Each structure stands twice: as structure tokens, then as C-alpha cells.
Amino acid sequence: MVKDISESKLNKLLELNKKLVSENDHSKRMSLLSDSIKNMLNVDRCTVFMHDEQSSSFWSICLDGISFLEVPDNTGMVGEVLKTQKTIIVNDAKNSPLFNDIIDTSIGYHTKNIMTMPIFGYDKKIIGVIQLLNKIDGSPGFTEEDQKVLSYVISHISAYLEVMMQEK
């Protein structure tokens, strides 16, 4: 897996790990994570949704343009990823039956392409979902390479997220 990832992306991941270790504030930790992944994968938006089984919802404390968001865990792409436990890549959001444009409409955003990936905990249960929006590097959308890089990053930071959930 490592051989599939560029040295610059691996260095960015190491920097992210150093920052996450030294940060105790959950909101700042989520912001660091989001900003680092946006930079690493050249995307406009990155949201980490944590799963709350008790309320059957996903929540995020760090979302570009919104301070807190909670969504039912059986709707949209995050719900589909929870159900199938597989990554979804949609490079034409408007024509996807899973795309929900409520957030776009409420904040005046235009989603073109989306990658949504499960985040697994130690026990192989989904603890959250990460969603990336809109490639900004001139490409028409997300690729298999993007998926490999994000999977690698998530495998390294999932422990931080699981600990954060336990402390919450």
C-alpha cells in the first residue's frame, strides 16, 4: 500500500500525526484532520461524520461553513456507506439518487463530485464516515488513487477518532 502513495503525501500524513498527538481539543483535532486531508487530496471540502448508534445519526463538529451538523444514519451517501461498509465515489452528484442537496441549498454550495468512505474502529465496526467534496486540481473527479490514499490516511487516524468518541 505504501508504494502506491507519493512521498509528499506520506510526509503530509506524518505531519498530521504529529499535530494530532499534540492537540487535545476535539474540535481543533477535527479541523486539523479536515484541513490536512483537503490539502493532501486537493479537495474543496472534507467532513468527518462520527456515528452515534444510540441516536441513529451521524454528527460532525467541523464542517466548512457550518459549525455542527447531525444527519440520520439511514439517509444519503453516509447512510449507504454505513449499510454497505463500502466506499462510494460519485463524480456526477446531481444525477446520483443518493445525493441530498439540502446542505448545498442552505449554504449556497455546488457539489460536483463526492467520495464517501467508512471509518472502522478496532472491532471492525463503523465509527464514522468521511466525505470529500469537489476535486480542485482540474480533474473531473475522484479516482482509484484518491481512494487508496484516503484509505491509507484513515487507517492511520482512525485510532484518534475512536479515542475521541470514547472521551465524548
Side-chain angles (χ1 to χ4, degrees), residues 49-60 68-74 82 125-129 165 168:
F49 291 97
M50 301 309 297
H51 188 234
D52 184 341
E53 283 186 273
Q54 290 179 331
S55 68
S56 298
S57 66
F58 284 103
W59 57 269
S60 179
F68 180 82
L69 178 68
E70 187 170 6
V71 296
D73 69 3
N74 61 353
L82 178 66
K125 281 179 60 177
I126 291 180
I127 60 168
V129 170
M165 288 292 288
K168 181 183 177 268

Side-chain angles (χ1 to χ4, degrees), residues 123-135:
D123 60 1
K124 304 299 181 206
K125 281 179 60 177
I126 291 180
I127 60 168
V129 170
I130 187 164
Q131 190 168 71
L132 307 182
L133 303 179
N134 294 349
K135 290 289 286 182

Side-chain angles (χ1 to χ4, degrees), residues 6 25 31 38-39 80 87 103 113 121 138-139 154 161 163:
S6 72
D25 180 89
S31 186
K38 286 191 303 189
N39 180 276
E80 187 68 15
T87 298
I103 296 172
N113 40 62
S139 71
I154 292 303
L161 296 172
V163 167

